[in-house]
Amino acid sequence: MVNIYHDDESDISVLEEEIIAVIGYGNQGHSQALNMRDSGLKVIIGNIRDSSFQQAVEDGFKTYDIDEAAKKASIVFILLPDEVQPEVYKNEIEPYLDTGDAIVFAHGYNLHYGFLVPKKDVDVLMVAPRMVGKFVRELYEKGSGAPVFFNAYQDSTGKAKQRVLALWKAIGATRVGAMEITVAEETELDHFSEHFIAPVISRALILSYEVLTELGYTPEAVLLETYMSGELGEVASSLAKDGLVNQLPFHSRTSQYGQLIYADRVMPDDYRRLIRELVEEIKTGVFAKDWQLEQLLGYPVFNKLLEEAFNHPINDAERKLKEQVKLDL
Ligand code: NDP
């Protein structure tokens, strides 16, 4: 049975004496820092001197260079982009960690693949929200929270689990449920969603746009039909609220029949093989090594793919549609 923890199973007061440094006031950093401060914890920020640094100051945080913040804190959240974490940790965080301090990651990537090996005398905690940063804050403000995967990956003090649960209570996650899974499982599942679920959706939309417009359908109408009305977003939200099958009755019977009868043809059982291959590439580190190499070479493939994506005619069609149809999404 999976372990899921709620508010009554964690106690924020265990963090009363701790100073928490959030390193990286970006997507996750700013939301998590604001939530923890509103929950009564002592939070400071460490950031490079850029607009995020200024934002942290404007939001009323004591804000420092990264090494200075790491020096002052006993719990250090490393909420930097994954690809910069190993170097920043080595140079600007690790030298200032004392025995018994804790470091916290929002994703297991660097730990799982060994790109970052923490020193042995600190707690290493994973607190990985299943939500983009903006909503981690918005849900907290509404009195709710984002669900999280968590793990006390390295327990050097004997209180790592107590600490990680208290942190998640402060961020709002135990209001809805914090699920304990391994760093390996969090990382691999996260990448699976990114390598299969997300591309299936985006590729389906792009291919549909290309073929339907070739067949003479109006570009703006194709966009409004397939995703830009916001209906797809509402359906996605209903999948989570009501369930994959339970949301079906919200569609017409004609739509339900069409969805069910074409499902196997659109995605035949052969896809199981692809799913297994993709998982294998994640588990064996093929993707992680490829991404590592891409970074070392200066992102040549990534930049090319981004350029192609931003130059696709669908972007122009989206812009034209948005000029004419004023959706309040
Ligand atoms: P961001 O891309 O928002 O970056 C966080 C901060 O790091 C920003 O303030 C950024 O500054 C700063 N930064 C960028 N490059 C450097 C550098 N070379 N040296 C020092 N600071 C730098 O990160 P996210 O919040 O998206 O991700 C943080 C962690 O959270 C990652 O581990 C990620 O996997 C995880 N995560 C993210 C989710 C999300 O919703 N994005 C969801 C779940 C987990 P600047 O603003 O100037 O770029």
Side-chain angles (χ1 to χ4, degrees), residues 118-256:
K119 66 199 285 253
K120 289 285 169 240
D121 61 348
V122 297
D123 288 345
V124 182
L125 314 174
M126 177 187 78
V127 284
R130 304 338 288 166
M131 194 62 73
V132 293
K134 181 172 178 275
F135 295 118
V136 170
R137 180 63 182 159
E138 283 184 18
L139 286 165
Y140 179 91
E141 285 178 311
K142 279 196 335 202
S144 180
V148 302
F149 291 142
F150 80 90
N151 189 267
Y153 179 77
Q154 179 171 290
D155 186 2
S156 84
T157 61
K159 54 180 185 177
K161 188 153 170 184
Q162 223 184 1
R163 269 173 149 176
V164 73
L165 279 170
L167 289 169
W168 274 121
K169 185 167 185 171
I171 293 166
T174 50
R175 290 173 178 173
V176 288
M179 185 182 290
E180 187 173 25
I181 63 169
T182 63
V183 160
E185 192 172 7
E186 185 275 335
T187 307
E188 291 170 11
L189 287 179
D190 184 77
H191 284 195
F192 177 73
S193 290
E194 290 162 3
H195 298 184
F196 185 67
I197 308 288
V200 159
I201 297 168
S202 57
R203 186 83 175 137
L205 295 172
I206 290 264
L207 283 184
S208 302
Y209 177 84
E210 289 177 356
V211 177
L212 290 171
T213 51
E214 276 161 28
L215 291 172
Y217 290 93
T218 313
E220 289 85 348
V222 172
L223 292 180
L224 203 57
E225 174 56 43
T226 52
Y227 65 99
M228 285 200 73
S229 69
E231 187 188 18
L232 182 62
E234 288 300 321
V235 172
S237 172
S238 184
L239 291 179
K241 280 191 217 135
D242 304 296
L244 193 62
V245 178
N246 280 322
Q247 59 83 37
L248 270 180
F250 302 133
H251 305 261
S252 71
R253 287 172 67 80
T254 312
S255 165
Q256 291 178 45

Side-chain angles (χ1 to χ4, degrees), residues 24-29 47-48 50-52 66 78-82 84-85 88 106-107 129 131-133:
Y25 200 67
N27 289 318
Q28 285 295 331
N47 210 89
I48 46 176
D50 63 359
S51 57
S52 303
I66 292 174
I78 304 180
L79 298 181
L80 303 166
D82 294 302
V84 310
Q85 288 177 9
V88 175
H107 181 27
M131 194 62 73
V132 293

